[in-house]
Amino acid sequence: LFCVQLDDSKLNYFQQPQDIKESDFFKFLEKYGRHSFLALSQVQPSFSAFYRAGDPILIYFDSSSVLSTLRQPVKMGASGLCVDGNPAGFLDSKSTSCTRIFANLSKSCITDPALDAASYYRDFTVLKVPVNDTIVQSMKVIYEIEFSGTHGIQSVSVRFKVSNISGNSGSSLQQHFTLHFWVSAPVLPGLLPCLTLSHTLPRSGNPGYIAGAPVLIANSGAMQHMSILRSEGDGSCSQFLRHTVQFGRNMRTGCKLSLSPILEDSNCSYIQQKLYKALQGMNRAEDLAITGSAHSTQAEEWTTILIQNCSGQAVHCPSCCMVPVTLEIQILWSKVGLLSNPQAQILGARYFYQCHPLKFLRTSTVPLTTVVTFTDMTKWPEPPRGQPQMHWKLPFDIFFPFKVALNLERIYRGDLAGWFLLILIMSSILCF
């Protein structure tokens, strides 16, 4: 039996401790007894019948019969080193990046699981819904997760982008990880089952766009969020991360795109395509959603994006290469509907590339800029100029005849008085 007591002036650490007998135990327990320090029994985690937002996604390793969670590496501390134990949350779509340091890159490339693409999907399956004891049938493993309400995860997919690297001891590598969730489209009667393969993004409004919600674009029917260039800490253009364009918010970004030394002998067309791809991203935008709840199968809910590239901006420079350096995304929108509840919808958009002649094809870096502007084209109705008036069916001035008659009577009376006065004056003269 021992007791830890802080800030007690009576304590003297050089005193002989008092012996406590078994018969004195209850006496000291009544005086010094406090909360128990016994460790609580380990409670097994309980799972609900379906995933809730933020819940860790469960995976199962068939070879070892181990139940674990799907993990998404994140950076830790100021150095940004990778930590692999971070669980991925259900419906928590996000992108992360972190740095790994290798003492021997050539050896780590073969033995380190972090550099093995198969370690991110092999030998485990993703559970459609949380379970306690039973394991559901094996299914595709993906990091793009398609779900359907309380029915759980419907399908999963994973894709990689690899690069050749080289270096000596002490080399570092930055990795990027993305987790994205899709809402599965329901199959309506009479429609082909293949329509369920098309992903449906969460709404950006219903029906009008909400300020700050992602702008929806489509390419060959596949819906995406409009995005623009994003810079890394050193000012270079990120190859993986991009800023999402939010409705109603003007944006401006800039970065420097590094051109590979292989491009020294490349032609102008190759450099142009590389810069176009960097500015527009992996998913080139063709159509723009008019409303925030646009459906990919409803053509009337989409408008074609007008694109003006470098072809019409040629200058007289035979040895130059016209390359895009700035992308201006101009979006026109307006409010429609009732004055009490107006809805924001997009009228049209244009991708306008500002181009610059590049004289030296061996340039190592090219500065790129992206500008997004939203212009409000709302035409508000004229406000009422006064209170509504009663609609009379009578003539404009019904008392006009009476006024005329009254005026004639007044004129007649004035003339009569004048003649009477003239007669009196003439009579007085004749009498004299």
Side-chain angles (χ1 to χ4, degrees), residues 195-345:
L195 291 181
T196 58
L197 298 178
S198 62
H199 299 304
T200 303
L201 290 176
R203 291 175 175 174
S204 294
N206 188 22
Y209 274 100
I210 299 175
V215 176
L216 303 179
I217 60 174
N219 182 3
S220 300
M223 295 177 58
Q224 299 286 340
H225 289 158
M226 180 182 288
S227 62
I228 59 176
L229 284 171
R230 180 173 178 174
S231 63
E232 299 284 1
D234 57 355
S236 62
C237 298
S238 176
Q239 298 182 8
F240 304 96
L241 304 180
R242 292 174 65 88
H243 288 292
T244 300
V245 177
Q246 300 175 339
F247 181 81
R249 297 181 179 175
N250 298 335
M251 304 176 65
R252 184 183 183 92
T253 62
C255 59
K256 293 183 178 181
L257 181 66
S258 299
L259 300 178
S260 174
I262 303 176
L263 297 179
E264 291 183 359
D265 299 329
S266 300
N267 55 19
C268 175
S269 177
Y270 183 84
I271 298 179
Q272 286 179 339
Q273 295 303 319
K274 183 177 178 63
L275 296 181
Y276 275 125
K277 187 175 181 179
L279 289 169
Q280 65 192 11
M282 297 179 59
N283 301 309
R284 184 171 59 90
E286 294 181 350
D287 301 314
L288 184 65
I290 296 176
T291 60
S293 60
H295 196 275
S296 59
T297 59
Q298 303 296 328
E300 66 275 6
E301 298 179 355
W302 297 83
T303 180
T304 302
I305 299 176
L306 302 178
I307 299 178
Q308 184 175 353
N309 53 28
C310 298
S311 59
Q313 305 180 35
V315 296
H316 182 68
C317 183
S319 60
C320 296
C321 178
M322 290 295 294
V323 296
V325 294
T326 301
L327 170 59
E328 292 186 13
I329 303 178
Q330 303 166 352
I331 301 177
L332 305 180
W333 68 281
S334 67
K335 293 182 179 180
V336 298
L338 300 176
L339 288 174
S340 59
N341 186 25
Q343 301 293 313
Q345 75 174 25

Side-chain angles (χ1 to χ4, degrees), residues 39-83:
L40 298 177
S41 59
Q42 297 296 327
V43 180
Q44 294 296 330
S46 58
F47 303 104
S48 60
F50 53 87
Y51 286 113
R52 293 183 173 89
D55 287 349
I57 299 173
L58 300 180
I59 61 176
Y60 179 72
F61 292 89
D62 297 316
S63 59
S64 57
S65 300
V66 174
L67 187 67
S68 183
T69 57
L70 184 66
R71 303 184 185 277
Q72 184 179 20
V74 295
K75 63 181 179 180
M76 180 65 69
S79 60
L81 297 180
C82 292
V83 176

